[in-house]
Amino acid sequence: MREQIIFRADNNYRDFDNYITKTKANKILLVCGNSISYLRINNYFKELEERPGIEIFRFSEFEPNPSYESVVKGVNLFKNTGCDLIIAAGGGSAMDVAKCIKLFAHMDDGQNYLKQEIVPNNIRLFAIPTTAGTGSEATRYAVIYYNGEKQSVSDYSCIPEAIVMDASVLETLPVYQKKATMLDALCHALESFWSVNSTPESRDYSKEAIGLILDNARAYLINDETGNANMLKASYIAGKAINITQTTAGHAMCYKLTTMYGLAHGHACALCVAKLWPFMLNNIDKCIDPRGQQYLREMFEQLAGLMNCKTGIEAAEYYQNFVNELGLEIPTVNSQADYAVLKDSVNPTRMKNNPVELTGEDIDKLYHEILR
């Protein structure tokens, strides 16, 4: 896999601008949310499109949980305008849409793209993350929704070639979104650390991301420049961790909570991990990690040490308190029928990545603990 190129936002994005010039791209598809109009990077794109020979086509017709239909619109715009470069500027949704546009652009538009085999292509994709949470700029994954159901799209060729790290984009982010995206990054790092797919490399990434998040949370939430920059870095590094390991039960359980109760993704994930973690500690005997129960115990002890805690239970409590202090809502269940819907929504593939086996009964019990 090609090493990604990281650009800073110094000198009005000069180094990034020079890189774009070297690509000789003259028609750029900019996949972005409407909030880009409030960011400094928007002025750069306005200046760029005023240059002779450069056209920028903006695509913002997608939802926070983007639908397949909106991706198709983006693919059609890319093909009809003859674009030769895609730039994603936004949070996870913009990144996911841009990745899918890249992957689908050379497929047969007479068939459902999701039912076709992905064939890697050489369309260039750059990323400018405007939240510190998804880590999508570092991963091979994209999530979209078809007929209301989550669809995972994955291929190494959709990992962005170049990334702009611009901490100023976080200054205008609503406080709730700052909290939720920070928690998403933290859950990525935690789940990657305990995943059955973890490696020494992925655990190193997780360790660095966890330290950056916990050390910079307060500064980040008050919009300190250094805190914002470090959180953006933490999100990227946590993304590199899950690119190796994938996520586990915390993420598998959170998606339906997001859509049913209108929660931000990171918010829902944090609530799930808060109940999952102590469950795993109390059920080591259900270990399905091929490295065994002793490895699992030692891993949780190492994770506790990363959080300056003496035991796994103390670390899980520390995490729960960290989430509680953010003051995020715990949703109230609409009806008892919701529990069955939630349980049936869980992706079994992600459950296989979890080091402790969860039965349907376990999942149902956890959802009862998560919701009021």
Side-chain angles (χ1 to χ4, degrees):
M1 187 179 69
R2 179 176 50 207
E3 187 67 25
Q4 292 176 294
I5 301 170
I6 309 295
F7 294 104
R8 305 297 169 187
D10 303 333
N11 301 315
N12 196 31
Y13 313 98
R14 181 182 61 189
D15 292 338
F16 179 60
D17 184 58
N18 290 339
Y19 193 68
I20 289 180
T21 301
K22 288 178 182 177
T23 69
K24 297 182 179 179
N26 52 31
K27 292 186 177 182
I28 300 171
L29 180 68
L30 176 60
V31 180
C32 59
N34 294 322
S35 60
I36 194 174
S37 60
Y38 303 103
L39 304 178
R40 183 163 64 101
I41 189 73
N42 191 50
N43 295 327
Y44 165 73
F45 285 118
K46 284 183 176 180
E47 294 172 5
L48 183 61
E49 60 189 339
E50 289 174 358
R51 297 178 193 173
I54 296 285
E55 290 184 88
I56 294 181
F57 300 89
R58 296 187 180 226
F59 180 67
S60 302
E61 295 182 53
F62 54 88
E63 312 81 7
N65 294 306
S67 66
Y68 170 79
E69 290 76 16
S70 61
V71 171
V72 171
K73 290 181 182 178
V75 173
N76 292 338
L77 179 61
F78 178 83
K79 295 167 76 170
N80 293 338
T81 55
C83 286
D84 44 15
L85 170 64
I86 302 172
I87 299 178
S93 296
M95 299 284 177
D96 289 346
V97 169
K99 287 177 177 181
C100 288
I101 291 173
K102 170 182 164 61
L103 293 176
F104 297 166
H106 286 180
M107 292 185 185
D108 181 359
D109 57 13
Q111 302 180 49
N112 187 314
Y113 295 124
L114 293 171
K115 296 180 179 180
Q116 299 179 51
E117 181 181 353
I118 293 173
V119 178
N121 60 59
N122 59 1
I123 297 171
R124 306 186 91 141
L125 171 63
F126 299 164
I128 306 170
T130 61
T131 65
T134 70
S136 185
E137 68 276 9
T139 75
R140 64 187 188 273
Y141 308 112
V143 172
I144 58 175
Y145 287 78
Y146 182 70
N147 291 335
E149 296 298 320
K150 174 181 159 293
Q151 307 292 319
S152 292
V153 181
S154 175
D155 193 81
Y156 279 100
S157 69
C158 76
I159 298 176
E161 172 184 331
I163 304 167
V164 175
M165 293 289 191
D166 180 6
S168 73
V169 300
L170 303 180
E171 294 173 0
T172 58
L173 202 63
V175 174
Y176 173 67
Q177 290 301 326
K178 294 197 79 166
K179 292 177 179 179
T181 50
M182 174 180 67
L183 288 172
D184 191 18
L186 182 55
C187 289
H188 284 162
L190 292 170
E191 290 186 57
S192 179
F193 197 87
W194 64 52
S195 170
V196 300
N197 303 316
S198 68
T199 66
E201 181 184 11
S202 71
R203 288 192 294 274
D204 283 344
Y205 286 139
S206 293
K207 177 180 179 180
E208 185 176 1
I210 290 168
L212 282 168
I213 292 167
L214 297 181
D215 290 346
N216 290 276
R218 190 177 300 276
Y220 162 73
L221 291 174
I222 63 171
N223 250 340
D224 174 82
E225 183 178 355
T226 300
N228 283 345
N230 284 333
M231 199 60 69
L232 204 59
K233 180 181 179 182
S235 173
Y236 171 68
I237 294 170
K240 289 176 76 68
I242 62 167
N243 192 50
I244 296 172
T245 65
Q246 300 180 280
T247 51
T248 67
H251 268 71
M253 294 179 64
C254 82
Y255 289 102
K256 203 65 175 180
L257 280 176
T258 299
T259 55
M260 287 179 70
Y261 294 94
L263 305 180
H265 169 72
H267 179 177
C269 190
L271 297 180
C272 292
V273 167
K275 302 305 179 184
L276 173 67
W277 195 341
F279 171 86
M280 293 193 296
L281 290 167
N282 291 322
N283 290 274
I284 296 290
D285 60 313
K286 294 183 178 182
C287 172
I288 57 173
D289 191 308
R291 292 166 288 195
Q293 292 185 29
Q294 185 58 33
Y295 162 80
L296 195 58
R297 290 189 185 93
E298 292 173 356
M299 180 278 297
F300 279 123
E301 288 176 4
Q302 292 171 15
L303 184 55
L306 297 182
M307 306 178 78
N308 295 317
C309 296
K310 295 179 180 179
T311 67
I313 290 295
E314 187 180 326
E317 291 174 350
Y318 177 95
Y319 169 82
Q320 179 71 77
N321 291 333
F322 181 84
V323 174
N324 290 346
E325 288 173 4
L326 295 175
L328 299 180
E329 174 194 359
I330 299 176
T332 300
V333 68
N334 295 320
S335 73
Q336 290 300 307
D338 282 7
Y339 291 118
V341 174
L342 288 164
K343 184 180 72 172
D344 291 343
S345 73
V346 176
N347 184 334
T349 301
R350 278 198 171 91
M351 301 303 282
K352 292 177 182 177
N353 301 332
N354 206 68
V356 173
E357 182 179 17
L358 279 82
T359 65
E361 184 180 347
D362 294 329
I363 294 168
D364 183 66
K365 181 179 178 182
L366 287 172
Y367 276 128
H368 277 77
E369 293 178 5
I370 291 164
L371 297 170
R372 290 189 188 280

